[in-house]
Amino acid sequence: MDNTVIIEKPDPYAALRYPEFRSYLGMRFFFTFAYQMQAVVIGFHIYHLTKNPLALGLIGLCEAIPAISIALYGGYVADKSEKRGLLLKIFSGVLLCSLVMLAVTTQQMHRYIPTGYIVPIMYCMIFGVGLARGFFGPATFSLMAQIIPKKLYPNSSTWNSSSWQMASILGPAAGGLIYGFFGITITYIVIVTFISISLLCIFFLKTHPPTFVPKESIVTSLTEGVRFVFKSKMMLGAMSLDLFSVFFGGAVALLPVFANDILKVGSEGLGFMRAAASSGAVVTMLAMTRFSPMNKPWRNLLIAVTGFGTSIICYGLSKNFYLTLIFLFAEGAFDSVSVIIRSTIMQLLTPDEMRGRVSAVNSMFIGSSNEIGAFESGLTAKLMRTVPAVVFGGSMTIMVAGITYPKTKGLVKLSLQEINEQKVPD
């Protein structure tokens, strides 16, 4: 009798075999491509007009304030709403804001709008994008759980993050190159085109009924989501770790200063610098479809955050363009490990009826920490100059990981199976 045990290899393309998930990835890819292009264009154009690093930090603040303020309500709306219709409204709002920025930055509009009004108008539209983001994160997080089986959450999280990172590679590179060679108007036309394509992808999604029908007041429902997060030691720890590491490691916001004043590589170089971090992320994420970091997720998360901070310090001290690209590549690689682990933990630990609200709490912790971190980097660059500000941020990130380790030793040995079975210490 043959007692040979056949071990089935994991299918790295399992999630991609679901057509609706592919439509979801298309929506995320084209939107992120346009969003990242817009981030490069806005940062370089505003710095070109103001020559003030603090103005770069204000970009992040203008987006973070509305995103944080509306996040909990956005999660409540996402839980009780049909996701496809909600996403159509969100993307339409973002498209409108981008059309306004396209209009105010054209040469023809300079006859009617004084130059001094252009930056404030752009800040207002960034504020509008921030409002849309407060609903976008919870809506997409809860939708993905409805189109993919639970057993494929790690695989779908990897592909979802890889798609996002791939768009983050192409978007900044395209934004910098098109802006450098063709100007801001053509660049914004491309941005608006890709936002429109992402809007069309939503029509290929199915309608999914709400997973939550509120039976109590909004305040009680929102409190329930916050209480759930704070009761889960692993979820709260992952969010807190990412919050402070990204807050102090938000030095990527200062890339226009490095490109323009330190490395002197212009907008084209800025595009490649922004793309370098995303390149490291996507290469690592594709590798993680076969070699998962979830064997010891908490241990790997702490290692990734430490590596992230070290890469930030090296990038800040570098005076060579090509070395800077290598350090930014490493920064993206370490950050991608953190993203995969955190997103998988959230998907596994969150009940279906609370996904929108839990995602909203996550957005308040992490989704806007990039923008607040950008403000922190701009402010510290103003106070202590650019290079010391970046080194300070990277050092604080390593310190956060060092402080977190002794407080969470009980989580270090946990495996993915133990997390999936909810065997996580409170």
Side-chain angles (χ1 to χ4, degrees), residues 325-407:
L325 293 181
I326 292 173
F327 294 135
L328 288 172
F329 183 94
E331 178 264 323
F334 285 116
D335 188 45
S336 68
V337 177
S338 172
V339 169
I340 291 295
I341 294 172
R342 177 173 46 80
S343 59
T344 302
I345 288 173
M346 282 188 60
Q347 289 283 3
L348 290 174
L349 297 183
T350 306
D352 288 343
E353 69 276 8
M354 298 184 67
R355 291 187 180 278
R357 284 164 289 168
V358 170
S359 177
V361 177
N362 178 63
S363 296
M364 295 178 69
F365 270 73
I366 298 159
S368 296
S369 59
N370 290 290
E371 287 72 31
I372 298 175
F375 176 72
E376 179 270 337
S377 296
L379 182 61
T380 52
K382 184 74 171 179
L383 297 175
M384 62 174 68
R385 301 192 313 276
T386 303
V387 172
V390 174
V391 173
F392 169 77
S395 301
M396 291 301 293
T397 300
I398 296 174
M399 184 181 297
V400 167
I403 294 172
T404 302
Y405 171 71
K407 295 180 179 296

Side-chain angles (χ1 to χ4, degrees), residues 155-174:
N155 185 259
S156 63
S157 294
T158 300
W159 281 111
N160 187 34
S161 298
S162 298
S163 173
W164 185 88
Q165 291 290 353
M166 181 64 76
S168 297
I169 293 174
L170 300 175

Side-chain angles (χ1 to χ4, degrees), residues 233-247:
K233 185 176 181 180
M234 176 167 274
M235 188 177 293
L236 180 63
M239 289 183 184
S240 301
L241 186 62
D242 219 349
L243 167 67
F244 290 107
S245 63
V246 173
F247 176 79

Side-chain angles (χ1 to χ4, degrees), residues 191-217:
I191 290 169
V192 167
T193 300
F194 277 97
I195 293 177
S196 301
I197 294 173
S198 68
L199 187 61
L200 291 174
C201 287
I202 299 175
F203 288 98
F204 291 93
L205 299 173
K206 299 176 183 177
T207 56
H208 293 275
T211 54
F212 167 68
V213 179
K215 298 178 181 179
E216 59 276 309
S217 67

Side-chain angles (χ1 to χ4, degrees), residues 64-200:
I65 288 175
I68 292 174
S69 301
I70 203 72
L72 280 177
Y73 180 70
Y76 172 79
V77 171
D79 275 339
K80 74 184 188 71
S81 300
E82 193 280 307
K83 309 302 182 293
R84 182 172 174 268
L86 180 59
L87 285 171
L88 286 172
K89 295 174 184 176
I90 293 169
F91 278 53
S92 297
V94 174
L95 180 60
L96 177 61
C97 291
S98 296
L99 285 169
V100 172
M101 284 191 274
L102 165 63
V104 300
T105 53
T106 58
Q107 284 294 117
Q108 292 81 354
M109 291 299 291
H110 287 184
R111 305 174 190 171
Y112 311 102
I113 302 176
T115 304
Y117 285 93
I118 293 176
V119 173
I121 291 174
M122 294 182 75
Y123 281 146
C124 288
M125 294 304 103
I126 295 168
F127 188 93
V129 173
L131 283 175
R133 263 191 51 191
F135 293 91
F136 175 75
T140 53
F141 179 77
S142 53
L143 174 63
M144 193 169 81
Q146 293 181 310
I147 61 180
I148 287 293
K150 187 174 182 178
K151 65 180 181 179
L152 295 182
Y153 285 172
N155 185 259
S156 63
S157 294
T158 300
W159 281 111
N160 187 34
S161 298
S162 298
S163 173
W164 185 88
Q165 291 290 353
M166 181 64 76
S168 297
I169 293 174
L170 300 175
L177 291 169
I178 297 173
Y179 181 82
F181 288 107
F182 301 102
I184 192 167
T185 300
I186 297 297
T187 307
Y188 255 108
I189 290 173
V190 175
I191 290 169
V192 167
T193 300
F194 277 97
I195 293 177
S196 301
I197 294 173
S198 68
L199 187 61
L200 291 174

